[in-house]
Amino acid sequence: VGNCDGFVGNRMMHPYTSESALLLADYGGKGGLTIADVDNALGRNGHGMAIGPFLVSDIAGNDIGYNIRREKGLLSDHRTGQVGPNRKNGMRYTELADEMVEKWGRVGQKAQKGWYNYDPNVGNGRKALPSPEMEELIIKHSMNSPHKGTKLSKDEIIHRVLFPLVNEGFKILEEGIALDPSDIDIIYLYGYGWPAFKGGPMFWADNYIGLTKLLNELEKFHEMCPGSDYFRPSELLKRCVDLGVGVQEYYKKGYAASGATTPQSKL
């Protein structure tokens, strides 16, 4: 496995965590999508991840993501309101995760407050409890969304959050950072809490979702949200669909090495 920003695992986590927060900014608010809705859809009782994205962030520390966004020039200057120099026009972005850290100190379990609240007398300070402060902050950041106050099904949440993660895996293969889909699957099975019975993100795409459906959904999401480039379908994904093969089959048949764009003759 080669080198890239965030390496393989964290690079794929970027669309996963970004889209999770953006769903709250798009569909949150009174009666709408909640932090727990997203975590439940992706966690053990939903897709099967060890824990959901917001609990992961609280355990790791929300200041880590905040500092990464600052280094990347994405944060607004809270004194002047000037948007970060690398936040491009039209880029889909929410300052929800920035404000919770910068103004409210909600850095996670170590501060007893993050996306959730934590009480040292409840579950040794590890049990995630609803936060009225975060509910108000989500209302604030979703108030201008035409979709505010809307619930999404578990499957809708899973598709919006995990399909771009898988798409990033395709781009990593396309760039030669990983040489085989199983490399990515092993990283996610052993390092990121992916449910073992679903075989890893690339195996899941091949065997549970189907690449045609994945491509169609990504195209739909990218049309809906052009400011999120992680929805732009990978060229490798398009090639696999054109050839009528799964991504693992694409590599096993040597299409990757040959650069084939059409099935090779069996004659």
Side-chain angles (χ1 to χ4, degrees):
V1 174
N3 218 341
C4 58
D5 184 27
F7 301 99
V8 169
N10 285 348
R11 174 172 162 182
M12 290 172 65
M13 283 291 283
H14 164 67
Y16 176 79
T17 55
S18 296
E19 189 59 25
S20 295
L22 283 161
L23 284 181
L24 296 179
D26 283 348
Y27 297 95
K30 291 182 179 179
L33 199 66
T34 67
I35 294 165
D37 288 337
V38 177
D39 272 355
N40 289 338
L42 293 158
R44 291 194 185 279
N45 295 323
H47 177 72
M49 300 289 280
I51 53 177
F54 296 116
L55 187 51
V56 167
S57 293
D58 274 358
I59 292 170
N62 297 312
D63 48 328
I64 294 174
Y66 174 85
N67 287 326
I68 289 171
R69 293 189 296 276
R70 181 176 61 185
E71 288 299 314
K72 288 186 174 182
L74 299 175
L75 298 187
S76 292
D77 187 321
H78 67 277
R79 296 164 300 179
T80 65
Q82 181 68 37
V83 171
N86 293 327
R87 199 191 304 176
K88 300 173 184 175
N89 287 336
M91 179 181 177
R92 192 160 158 259
Y93 191 89
T94 176
E95 295 187 350
L96 170 60
D98 301 339
E99 183 175 344
M100 64 182 277
V101 170
E102 192 170 81
K103 294 187 179 179
W104 301 102
R106 302 191 67 94
V107 295
Q109 287 186 355
K110 59 191 174 187
Q112 297 177 15
K113 58 180 184 177
W115 292 98
Y116 297 96
N117 283 347
Y118 301 90
D119 184 333
N121 298 313
V122 179
N124 295 318
R126 300 295 183 183
K127 182 174 176 58
L129 304 169
S131 167
E133 189 171 76
M134 284 305 300
E135 289 172 10
E136 290 301 314
L137 202 54
I138 291 168
I139 289 171
K140 172 186 173 181
H141 284 273
S142 62
M143 67 170 57
N144 294 323
S145 170
H147 308 295
K148 66 183 177 185
T150 304
K151 285 288 190 183
L152 297 178
S153 70
K154 280 188 177 181
D155 280 347
E156 286 174 317
I157 295 168
I158 288 167
H159 294 177
R160 282 286 289 270
V161 174
L162 287 181
F163 283 9
L165 177 148
V166 172
N167 192 41
E168 201 64 32
F170 272 91
K171 292 175 182 177
I172 286 166
L173 288 167
E174 191 179 306
E175 294 166 18
I177 302 298
L179 299 181
D180 191 273
S182 62
D183 297 337
I184 293 171
D185 287 339
I186 288 169
I187 288 168
Y188 264 77
L189 285 169
Y190 288 95
Y192 288 83
W194 188 274
F197 68 94
K198 290 185 176 174
M202 310 314 289
F203 182 92
W204 178 68
D206 264 353
N207 297 282
Y208 283 78
I209 300 301
L211 300 193
T212 299
K213 179 177 179 179
L214 176 64
L215 176 59
N216 290 341
E217 289 293 295
L218 285 168
E219 288 175 337
K220 181 182 79 174
F221 294 152
H222 192 242
E223 185 176 347
M224 288 169 52
C225 308
S228 289
D229 200 54
Y230 48 68
F231 285 134
R232 186 187 302 277
S234 151
E235 292 302 317
L236 172 59
L237 172 58
K238 293 178 184 178
R239 278 201 299 276
C240 288
V241 171
D242 286 344
L243 289 164
V245 298
V247 65
Q248 191 64 65
E249 186 181 3
Y250 182 88
Y251 278 78
K252 282 183 177 177
K253 288 189 171 181
Y255 292 158
S258 68
T261 55
T262 56
Q264 296 173 354
S265 172
K266 296 179 180 178
L267 299 178

